[in-house]
Amino acid sequence: MTDPGERLRSSLAADQSASSGMADFDSPIAMEALRATRVLHAAHQDPFPAPARIRIITIANQKGGVGKTTSTVNLGVALALYGMRTLVIDLDPQGNASTALGVDHTVGTPSIYDALVGDSTLTEVVHQTTASPHLLCVPATIDLAGAEIELVSVVAREHRLRRAIEGYIAALPPERRPHYVLIDCPPSLGLLTLNALVAGDEVLIPIQCEYYALEGLGQLLNNIDLVRQHLNPGIAVRTILLTMYDGRTKLADQVADEVRNHFGDVVLNAVIPRNVRVSEAPGYGQSVLTYDPGSRGSTSYVEAARELAQRGVDLPPIDRTSTPGAATTFAVADAAPPQDHQ
């Protein structure tokens, strides 16, 4: 399996060789420092390519503990640090994505609940994060736990999030529209996850490198097929991310091989390893990229985000005209330097 940091190592070696004629990374401390420098000054050195259209990505898996929130947060931060305007929508009542991005989500905070159940727009509930000027977040409060019950009697309840996102994007000028909208789903297949699947253009499924993580995956895929047939013909599983990979075990390799054989090119080459820094970062209200930018966890998420970005360069427009209340494919301007974005 390809080392997730191999590409970054080669890039750093090339930079060092060009500047001094030498590239010696025998010291782990020196290598980590160079990684950290590359991440922290990412947008100016090696920005990601902008997608052909706004990408609304639903990150879902009904199994808990597979890395949905961790992947949402760290991919979002990586995309933002590398020049992509990104909006993270926390759709999990636990509010863990909001915590990791340092966004307040105490009771009474304007949140996604107000946009789904109330009359608020996303513009009124969006918050700036401290991770990057390019990264915004719509937090989730504990009020969201009752949203599924409150939405039962609402007309077109499955389309509430989709219409909120469309209204938010339509109100922005092209140069301020997000390149990416990442939706963090709860560990269930309820009405909140259904809203996320109807709102999204594509699904990213994090899969833990253990056999238990494969159980129930068929049900998720069946639900996505039902959503495609009846509610959102544009939705598709375009990305699978292997998480919590432990290279010391044969089990991790066996699961990774099985997933790659079954899903093929949908699986990212980048793999997220088990890394204590990834687990520590949320305790400080940060992503691993800002908490320890030189760690293997940070490097792996940067590589995964880079692959995700590269796959979005040539995406075709989405045709949703066969669905009532069809979505519009919005144009998005190229990324601006971080200091120019407000």
Side-chain angles (χ1 to χ4, degrees):
M1 182 168 294
T2 303
D3 177 6
E6 181 179 344
R7 178 175 178 176
L8 185 57
R9 176 184 289 271
S10 300
S11 177
L12 291 169
D15 289 349
Q16 179 74 0
S17 178
S19 61
S20 64
M22 298 178 63
D24 186 359
F25 296 104
D26 290 339
S27 167
I29 295 177
M31 185 62 200
E32 184 163 338
L34 285 167
R35 286 176 181 165
T37 300
R38 174 56 62 90
V39 170
L40 292 175
H41 301 282
H44 300 287
Q45 298 181 14
D46 195 13
F48 290 165
R53 55 172 167 79
I54 295 175
R55 298 180 69 182
I56 304 176
I57 303 176
T58 299
I59 300 172
N61 190 329
Q62 78 273 21
K63 187 181 185 303
V66 299
K68 287 188 299 297
T69 297
T70 300
S71 296
T72 302
V73 168
N74 288 295
L75 288 175
V77 172
L79 289 167
L81 288 177
Y82 280 77
M84 299 291 100
R85 293 185 297 274
T86 306
L87 173 66
V88 170
I89 298 178
D90 190 352
L91 209 60
D92 188 344
Q94 298 176 85
N96 292 336
S98 307
T99 298
L101 291 174
V103 176
D104 182 30
H105 59 100
T106 55
V107 175
T109 302
S111 68
I112 190 63
Y113 171 85
D114 301 293
L116 289 177
V117 179
D119 297 323
S120 298
T121 65
L122 280 191
T123 303
E124 296 171 320
V125 300
V126 72
H127 297 251
Q128 179 67 57
T129 69
T130 58
S132 168
H134 279 166
L135 183 62
L136 302 176
C137 175
V138 178
T141 64
I142 193 62
D143 293 333
L144 193 59
E148 293 199 3
I149 297 175
E150 296 180 61
L151 286 172
V152 167
S153 60
V154 176
V155 176
R157 57 186 180 270
E158 303 92 349
H159 296 264
R160 296 286 290 183
L161 180 59
R162 174 165 146 186
R163 290 175 178 171
I165 293 173
E166 288 175 354
Y168 172 76
I169 294 174
L172 293 172
E175 66 273 11
R176 293 188 57 199
R177 291 173 181 169
H179 296 94
Y180 290 85
V181 177
L182 306 182
I183 308 172
D184 181 33
C185 294
S188 69
L189 294 176
L191 194 51
L192 290 175
T193 299
L194 180 58
N195 258 270
L197 292 175
V198 173
D201 300 326
E202 52 188 290
V203 180
L204 185 154
I205 304 176
I207 297 181
Q208 183 181 4
C209 290
E210 295 182 4
Y211 277 113
Y212 279 145
L214 301 178
E215 292 188 356
L217 189 58
Q219 184 60 51
L220 173 62
L221 297 176
N222 288 338
N223 281 25
I224 294 171
D225 285 338
L226 289 173
V227 170
R228 183 186 303 113
Q229 294 171 26
H230 301 288
L231 296 169
N232 180 7
I235 194 71
V237 177
R238 295 191 183 277
T239 310
I240 289 178
L241 176 63
L242 294 169
T243 63
M244 303 181 191
Y245 174 79
D246 188 345
R248 299 170 299 178
T249 66
K250 290 184 178 179
L251 174 63
D253 280 332
Q254 290 171 354
V255 173
D257 290 342
E258 185 171 332
V259 172
R260 292 186 188 281
N261 289 336
H262 185 75
F263 291 101
D265 293 339
V266 172
V267 186
L268 294 181
N269 292 321
V271 175
I272 309 304
R274 285 193 178 275
N275 184 259
V276 68
R277 296 302 193 191
V278 175
S279 302
E280 289 176 353
Y284 295 87
Q286 298 184 53
S287 69
V288 69
L289 280 84
T290 53
Y291 175 67
D292 189 354
S295 66
R296 291 185 65 237
S298 175
T299 299
S300 299
Y301 271 114
V302 168
E303 288 302 296
R306 185 185 301 278
E307 275 192 74
L308 190 68
Q310 290 172 342
R311 293 183 179 199
V313 173
D314 299 318
L315 284 178
I318 297 230
D319 180 14
R320 284 174 160 174
T321 54
S322 60
T323 307
T328 303
T329 300
F330 291 99
V332 60
D334 290 339
Q339 63 267 25
D340 293 339
H341 177 77
Q342 299 296 329

